Amino acid sequence: MKFRSVSNPVTSTPSGVTSPKRMSMRVAEWLLDSPRLGDSPSVKHLAGRLLKQPAREGVVAAQSRLGQLMCRECGNARDRRIGHELLRQAARAGDHRARQALGEIED
C-alpha cells in the first residue's frame, strides 16, 4: 500500500491562529495599557512574566515594555540593571519608546 504525503489537518496550524508568543505579548500589552488593571502590582507582575520569553527571543516591543516595567517598578538594583539593558537593546533596534525611556532614566 502506498501512502500519500498529506498534511494532517489536526496537527497543522491554521493561518488565522496567532502564535503563543504573539498572544502573550498582546495580553501583556492589554493588561499594562488597561487603566484599571494596569495599576495593580499583581497585574504588572503577570504582564512581566508574559513578556519575559518574547524579550529573551529578541522581540523588540517585548524588550521595550519589559525594560520600562523593570526600571520603573522593581525595587532592587539587579532588576533595574536588567531593565536598563533591555531598554538599550530595544533602542539599538530602533524602538522610539525605549530611546525615550532611556533618556528619562539617564537624566
Side-chain angles (χ1 to χ4, degrees):
M1 180 187 268
K2 196 173 188 180
F3 293 103
R4 284 189 275 159
S5 83
V6 177
S7 66
N8 189 349
V10 174
T11 59
S12 65
T13 315
S15 61
V17 174
T18 308
S19 69
K21 176 174 57 174
R22 187 174 167 108
M23 186 65 161
S24 67
M25 275 282 306
R26 295 183 84 177
V27 170
E29 288 176 339
W30 176 77
L31 286 171
L32 292 172
D33 293 338
S34 174
R36 296 176 81 186
L37 292 173
D39 293 332
S40 169
S42 60
V43 170
K44 289 177 185 176
H45 181 76
L46 175 63
R49 291 184 58 90
L50 289 171
L51 290 169
K52 188 189 283 187
Q53 189 61 39
R56 282 183 180 161
E57 293 173 359
V59 178
V60 176
Q63 290 173 342
S64 177
R65 291 302 291 258
L66 185 58
Q68 290 174 40
L69 190 63
M70 291 179 83
C71 285
R72 292 180 184 150
E73 303 299 326
C74 292
N76 62 31
R78 178 182 174 268
D79 286 347
R80 283 194 306 271
R81 190 173 57 247
I82 292 169
H84 202 251
E85 182 57 34
L86 285 169
L87 284 174
R88 269 195 231 116
Q89 289 175 2
R92 267 189 244 123
D95 188 81
H96 180 68
R97 286 174 127 180
R99 284 186 193 154
Q100 190 175 20
L102 271 176
E104 292 171 5
I105 292 169
E106 292 174 350
D107 286 345

